[in-house]
Amino acid sequence: MDLLRQEKPFIFQQDNAPCHRAKLAKDWFQEQNIEVLAWPANIPELNCIENLWSWLDKEIAKQEPRSLDELKEIAPNILNNVPKSILENLIDSMPNRINECLKNKG
């Protein structure tokens, strides 16, 4: 928990997934005196990192790691070789993401 402590106060941001809304999770943040940003459900996703995680998951599955050591070995190699087209698509998708957010008064 010390890793989260900073001299300046901060607000923790997370999505509105059911596991994050669970009473146990809410109670833990409250006990730790960590302020959580109020975040609406079902908003257009502006953070394209989720798409990169999905791609990474598929690429790792192709390699079929059988242990944590194998995963630790292959994941950095995959991440260091993300095709330029994947990154460009994520970047190019931002105007549409922003327009959807504005359209939904987000």
Side-chain angles (χ1 to χ4, degrees):
M1 202 48 220
D2 289 338
L3 294 175
L4 292 178
R5 299 293 173 218
Q6 302 177 25
E7 296 209 10
K8 296 180 182 179
F10 65 94
I11 299 174
F12 189 82
Q13 179 183 354
Q14 60 188 1
D15 63 22
N16 212 358
C19 60
H20 297 156
R21 296 188 318 260
K23 183 175 180 348
L24 185 64
K26 290 178 181 179
D27 289 348
W28 185 86
F29 279 106
Q30 189 172 12
E31 290 166 8
Q32 302 301 317
N33 294 318
I34 296 174
E35 184 177 354
V36 178
L37 181 67
W39 201 250
N42 301 319
I43 62 168
E45 181 63 71
L46 290 178
N47 186 352
C48 57
I49 195 68
E50 297 295 334
N51 300 81
L52 184 60
W53 288 135
S54 177
W55 175 85
L56 177 62
D57 186 45
K58 290 173 189 168
E59 294 300 307
I60 288 173
K62 289 177 188 176
Q63 304 257 343
E64 299 180 341
R66 297 291 178 219
S67 68
L68 182 57
D69 287 336
E70 284 183 28
L71 178 61
K72 286 179 179 179
E73 187 177 321
I74 65 172
N77 186 43
I78 293 171
L79 279 172
N80 286 331
N81 293 294
V82 176
K84 187 177 179 183
S85 62
I86 298 287
L87 298 175
E88 288 173 348
N89 286 342
L90 294 176
I91 293 166
D92 291 345
S93 72
M94 288 309 297
N96 287 337
R97 292 170 189 273
I98 291 169
N99 286 334
E100 282 297 309
C101 185
L102 293 172
K103 185 172 88 178
N104 288 294
K105 299 180 172 120

